[in-house]
């Protein structure tokens, strides 16, 4: 089976497409089969719905634990993790998602370019990502633990990472991502993940549009020997 | 003075009262912080244990990933280079227990006695239990366990003549938490309110001519049955009117009148500056602000911008810190006060044209007016110091300096031949340079010409000592002048027995 290795950045002979009438078929990595939506399953859920009540809920339960009046259920709720505070799981999720979406953007760009080239379909300008993949160079840390104490450098890097997709030409709705995690509010925490979600979904839409255009163009191809006399007018 | 008003508020309710007196008393073993050295083997590497005896002013919760700590309400800061006295490296478990109990051992370079211990636990990290062990050398004197209920953990337990304290944090109230201690104080900060106070009086005074520098005074009585105070000289007492800072004072004398009644006398930092000799100093090419910062070295100086850059030259020899400050004030025609501040305010008196009119409803009984003797002349001697000259040299730090004096005189234009000669003579203003002598003489004369002095009682609002006010007299005339003395009875309504000179 031919493996299309985008990350190598080199097209090799084993990537020659196998085309049949009316369809476009390539041997692609499994994650691309059926579109990149399959790949998107690797992105963790975005938490964009924290509220002031969630924040207050944490405070209330903490006060009860300190006072010794918390129920077993409340204590269990606290220990299980609550969305009203920021913790290691939040940071790991966001950092992981940043890394996955960065790779997703890089892959989409390579995928569309290669798909377009291999299928010999010249896509419209707006359907091709033109960003330089190097703009998406990020450092992530995905092993945050409860014992960790984020530094200011971590905090600024983390917030900047969430905004990295603004450097590409895939348009999406931007949110009020803070410049660091200093004095973070539930709204700001939501904004970070909403930005990532928007960037991710915009990339999917972009890919789908390009893919649809290619498939549509290829399905209209007229293959040699297909038209007989009198058939085509 | 003020008896009626004080009784009204002490016996009445707080409603309708303009203020509520509050005195914060640092019942702290003096000098213990400077003698203390804290050590811990259970701290995060970035902790600065040398700050443990002093604490930090920083009450923020810093971001960390412990369960439920990083509240998303905008209150949590990400740590930059802030000083953190003590965070344990270990996090407690699900039950708030540590596998190795974090501890801080404080040794004192000499024995102290204290009426208790105060431990400030940081932000969100209340310990579930703390064990204290007082040491004398290697011997354990006493041990006590406390279950804290708030971040300021007070151990009301007097121990005498100890030179070590071990604090062990046995657990945290919340699961998965570091132990965080911001400060260990060798004593207790107590807050006295109207329930335990009587006869609270603050006296502040200025000399508009800058020739004298008065110290602020705070006197009060405390009734407290349950605490054996160890009042010590120079302990800090901060006076508040509600949340408004009235001044910072230092304990001067304390008498125990009965089992439960203590009479306390305090002075402000200016009074305290009397106790220490100021090192003999030659001022050359320094500004007034730089000189003030040197002289008031333990206090923040709040100086009028217009005074800051006045050049100061001269010599201070054989003075106390307070005398040094007075000399500086005289040379720059300023007054110094500690009214309403945690430092020292050095200011020029405002022009009388900007005087605030005090409405009649704020003025109370007991107004009286007197006329001071007229001043006929002001004579100011300037001093210019150089390394060469004649006469007896002044030796400063091994160097001889020679003083060249000059006299500037100003005659009061208001005088007539009938007036008795009344000359103000300023000879020993050794920071008055020849360039400043005329200005100083004029300044003294300007204030000397204000002869009216009115004593009255009024309800103090935002006024401060030295402010220009205009007051209606009981006989329906008006006196405009500077508040030069305020004797304030802190009670339900803040009434100042005030002297205005105008």
């Amino acid at each position: 089976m031919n493996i299309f290795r985008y990350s190598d950045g080199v097209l090799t002979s084993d990537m020659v497409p196998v085309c049949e009438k009316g369809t476009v078929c390539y041997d692609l990595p499994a994650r691309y089969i059926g579109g990149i939506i399959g790949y998107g399953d690797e992105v963790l859920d975005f938490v964009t719905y924290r509220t002031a009540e969630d924040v207050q809920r944490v405070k209330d339960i903490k006060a009860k634990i300190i006072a010794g009046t918390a129920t077993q259920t409340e204590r269990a709720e606290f220990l299980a993790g609550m969305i009203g505070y920021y913790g290691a799981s939040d940071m790991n999720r966001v950092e992981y998602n940043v890394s996955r979406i960065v790779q997703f953007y890089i892959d989409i760009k390579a995928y569309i370019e290669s798909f377009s080239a291999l299928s010999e379909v010249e896509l419209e300008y707006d359907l091709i990502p033109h960003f330089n993949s190097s703009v998406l160079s990020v450092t992530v840390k995905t092993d945050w633990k409860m014992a960790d104490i984020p530094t200011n450098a971590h905090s600024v890097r983390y917030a900047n990472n969430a905004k990295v997709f603004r450097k590409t030409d895939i348009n999406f709705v931007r949110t009020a991502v803070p410049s660091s995690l200093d004095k973070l509010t539930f709204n700001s925490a939501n904004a970070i993940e909403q930005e990532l979600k928007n960037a991710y979904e915009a990339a999917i839409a972009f890919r789908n549009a390009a893919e649809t255009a290619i498939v549509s163009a290829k399905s209209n191809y007229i293959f040699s020997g297909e038209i007989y006399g009198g058939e085509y007018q | 003075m003020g008896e009626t008003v004080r009784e009204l508020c002490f016996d009445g309710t707080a409603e309708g009262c303009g203020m509520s007196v509050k005195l914060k008393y640092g019942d702290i073993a003096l000098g213990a912080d400077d003698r203390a050295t804290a050590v811990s083997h259970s701290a995060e590497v970035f902790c600065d244990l040398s700050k443990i005896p002093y604490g930090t002013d920083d009450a923020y919760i810093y971001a960390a990933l412990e369960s439920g700590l990083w509240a998303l309400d905008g209150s949590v800061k990400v740590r930059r280079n802030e000083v953190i006295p003590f965070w344990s490296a270990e996090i407690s478990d699900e039950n708030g227990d540590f596998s190795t109990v974090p501890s801080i051992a404080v040794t004192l370079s000499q024995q102290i006695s204290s009426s208790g211990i105060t431990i400030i636990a940081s932000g969100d990290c209340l310990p579930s239990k703390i064990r204290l062990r007082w040491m004398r050398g290697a011997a354990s004197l006493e041990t006590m366990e406390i279950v804290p209920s708030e971040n300021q953990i007070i151990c009301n337990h007097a121990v005498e003549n100890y030179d070590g304290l071990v604090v062990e944090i046995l657990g945290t109230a919340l699961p998965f938490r570091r132990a965080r201690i911001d400060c260990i104080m060798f004593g207790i900060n107590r807050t006295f309110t109207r329930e335990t106070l009587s006869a609270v009086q603050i006296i502040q005074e200025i000399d508009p001519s800058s020739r004298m520098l008065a110290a602020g005074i705070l006197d009060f009585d405390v009734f407290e049955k349950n605490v054996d105070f160890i009042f010590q000289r120079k302990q800090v007492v901060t006076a508040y009117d509600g949340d408004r800072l009235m001044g910072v004072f230092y304990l001067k004398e304390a008498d125990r009148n009965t089992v439960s009644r203590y009479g306390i006398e305090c002075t402000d930092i200016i009074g305290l500056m009397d106790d220490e000799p100021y090192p003999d100093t030659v001022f050359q090419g320094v500004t007034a602000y730089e000189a003030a910062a040197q002289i008031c070295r333990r206090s923040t100086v709040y100086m009028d911008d217009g005074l800051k850059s006045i050049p100061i030259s001269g010599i201070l020899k054989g003075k106390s810190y307070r005398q040094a400050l007075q000399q500086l004030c005289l040379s720059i025609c300023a007054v110094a006060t500690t009214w309403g501040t945690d430092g020292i305010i050095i200011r020029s008196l405002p022009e009388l044209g900007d005087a605030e009119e005090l409405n009649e409803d704020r003025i109370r009984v007991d107004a009286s007016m007197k006329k001071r003797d007229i001043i006929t002349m002001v004579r100011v001697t300037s001093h210019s110091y150089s390394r060469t000259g004649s006469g007896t040299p002044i030796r400063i730090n091994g160097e001889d300096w020679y003083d060249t004096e000059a006299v500037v005189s100003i005659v009061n234009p208001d005088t007539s031949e009938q007036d008795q000669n009344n000359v103000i003579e300023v000879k020993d203003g050794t920071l008055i340079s020849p360039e400043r002598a005329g200005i100083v003489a004029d300044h003294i004369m300007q204030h000397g010409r204000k002869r009216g002095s009115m004593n009255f009682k009024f309800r103090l609002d935002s006024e401060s000592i030295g402010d220009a006010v205009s007051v209606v007299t009981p006989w329906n005339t008006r006196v405009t002048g500077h508040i030069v003395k305020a004797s304030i009875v802190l009670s339900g309504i803040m009434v100042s027995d005030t002297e205005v000179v105008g």
Side-chain angles (χ1 to χ4, degrees), chain A residues 50 55 58-59 61-62 65-66 75 78-79 83-88 91 144-152 155 180-187 189, chain B residues 44 46 60 63-80 87 89 91 94-96 124 126 149 173-178 180:
Chain A
R50 302 172 185 90
V55 177
V58 177
K59 291 182 179 178
I61 291 187
K62 274 163 58 176
I65 293 173
I66 289 171
R75 195 176 170 87
F78 181 79
L79 291 172
I83 62 171
Y85 73 87
Y86 224 51
M91 295 193 69
W144 289 102
K145 305 181 295 294
M146 199 185 283
D148 288 338
I149 299 166
T151 64
N152 187 53
S155 145
S180 79
L181 301 183
D182 198 40
K183 299 184 178 179
L184 192 69
T185 64
F186 67 91
N187 280 326
Chain B
E44 282 280 3
F46 53 75
Y60 281 107
L65 303 181
E66 296 147 58
S67 270
L69 185 140
W70 195 341
L72 292 173
D73 59 0
S75 67
V76 179
K77 280 179 72 171
V78 173
R79 197 179 75 82
R80 293 164 191 260
W87 285 10
I91 291 180
E94 186 175 330
N95 300 313
D124 206 36
L126 185 70
S149 57
L174 288 166
F176 300 121
R177 281 301 151 97
R178 283 182 172 78
R180 299 184 191 197

Side-chain angles (χ1 to χ4, degrees), chain B residues 295-471:
Chain B
I295 294 168
C296 310
R297 66 204 194 289
R298 287 182 187 155
S299 298
T300 308
V301 173
Y302 304 99
M303 184 180 268
D304 280 359
D305 287 342
L307 299 172
K308 283 181 178 171
S309 57
I310 295 175
I312 299 298
S313 63
I315 281 178
L316 290 177
K317 184 175 168 65
K319 307 287 184 194
S320 68
Y321 275 87
R322 178 173 166 181
Q323 288 170 326
L325 179 58
Q326 183 272 324
Q327 288 279 332
L328 176 68
C329 286
L330 178 63
S331 69
I332 61 174
C333 308
V335 295
T337 174
T338 57
W339 178 293
T341 177
D342 57 354
I344 296 176
I345 295 169
I346 300 175
R347 64 182 292 203
S348 302
L349 295 186
E351 296 294 328
L352 292 181
D354 301 328
E356 175 198 359
E357 289 195 8
L358 294 183
N359 295 331
E360 285 178 54
D361 61 343
R362 291 177 60 195
I363 299 169
R364 294 171 179 266
V365 290
D366 300 343
S368 67
M369 197 65 192
K370 64 182 175 188
K371 202 91 169 169
R372 300 186 306 176
D373 292 339
I374 194 164
I375 290 160
T376 53
M377 181 186 277
V378 172
R379 266 203 301 265
V380 173
T381 302
S382 69
H383 300 265
S384 179
Y385 296 93
S386 59
R387 296 299 308 284
T388 56
S390 58
T392 308
I394 303 160
R395 179 155 279 245
I396 305 282
N397 301 328
E399 292 181 341
D400 286 341
W401 293 82
Y402 294 88
D403 185 7
T404 305
E405 296 183 353
V407 177
V408 172
S409 301
I410 295 180
V411 176
N412 187 348
D414 304 335
T415 52
S416 66
E417 288 180 359
Q418 286 79 32
D419 291 321
Q420 199 175 345
N421 209 24
N422 185 13
V423 179
I424 292 180
E425 180 97 44
V426 178
K427 284 185 171 176
D428 55 358
T430 54
L431 294 185
I432 300 174
S433 62
E435 295 76 27
R436 297 289 307 168
I439 299 167
V440 172
D442 186 55
H443 166 73
I444 294 170
M445 179 55 81
Q446 287 305 318
H447 288 284
R449 290 174 68 188
K450 292 168 192 158
R451 297 176 58 198
S453 173
M454 181 178 171
N455 283 282
F456 65 105
K457 199 171 282 187
F458 82 109
R459 181 167 50 80
L460 198 67
D461 196 354
S462 58
E463 293 78 15
S464 175
I465 193 93
D467 282 358
V469 291
S470 178
V471 191

Side-chain angles (χ1 to χ4, degrees), chain B residues 77-227:
Chain B
K77 280 179 72 171
V78 173
R79 197 179 75 82
R80 293 164 191 260
N81 297 314
E82 290 88 350
V83 171
I84 306 285
F86 176 79
W87 285 10
S88 67
E90 185 184 337
I91 291 180
S92 63
D93 64 15
E94 186 175 330
N95 300 313
D97 297 328
F98 291 102
S99 58
T100 306
V101 170
S103 67
I104 304 167
V106 185
T107 52
L108 296 146
S109 59
Q110 68 186 69
Q111 290 182 2
I112 62 164
S113 301
S114 68
S115 61
I117 299 290
T118 302
I119 296 170
I120 310 293
S122 173
D124 206 36
C125 302
L126 185 70
S128 56
K129 191 186 275 186
I130 281 185
R131 183 188 296 136
L132 299 176
R133 207 164 64 239
W134 287 262
M135 311 291 291
R136 187 181 300 150
S140 175
L141 293 179
E142 298 196 43
T143 302
M144 194 171 190
E145 288 189 359
I146 308 168
V147 177
S149 57
E150 55 185 7
N151 285 347
Q152 180 168 305
I153 303 161
I154 293 173
C155 171
N156 249 319
H157 186 66
V159 177
E160 295 194 351
N161 303 324
Y162 63 95
D163 56 16
L165 179 75
V166 178
V167 177
E168 294 172 290
I169 301 100
L170 303 179
T172 57
L174 288 166
F176 300 121
R177 281 301 151 97
R178 283 182 172 78
R180 299 184 191 197
I181 301 294
D182 279 351
C183 183
I184 299 172
M185 284 191 290
F186 296 88
I188 295 171
N189 276 320
R190 303 179 193 275
T191 301
F192 301 128
T193 57
R194 60 177 63 189
E195 285 76 25
T196 51
L197 285 172
S198 77
V200 184
Q201 187 179 30
I202 293 176
I203 300 173
Q204 291 273 12
E205 201 170 351
I206 55 162
D207 173 13
S209 72
S210 313
R211 289 183 298 141
M212 287 180 285
L213 177 62
I217 293 168
L218 166 69
D219 293 340
F220 60 97
D221 286 352
V222 179
F223 294 88
E224 179 64 69
K225 287 179 184 169
N226 303 320
V227 180

Side-chain angles (χ1 to χ4, degrees), chain A residues 90-102:
Chain A
D90 297 288
M91 295 193 69
N92 285 333
R93 179 182 62 253
V94 167
E95 299 251 39
Y96 175 80
N97 280 346
V98 165
S99 71
R100 299 310 296 169
I101 299 169
V102 161

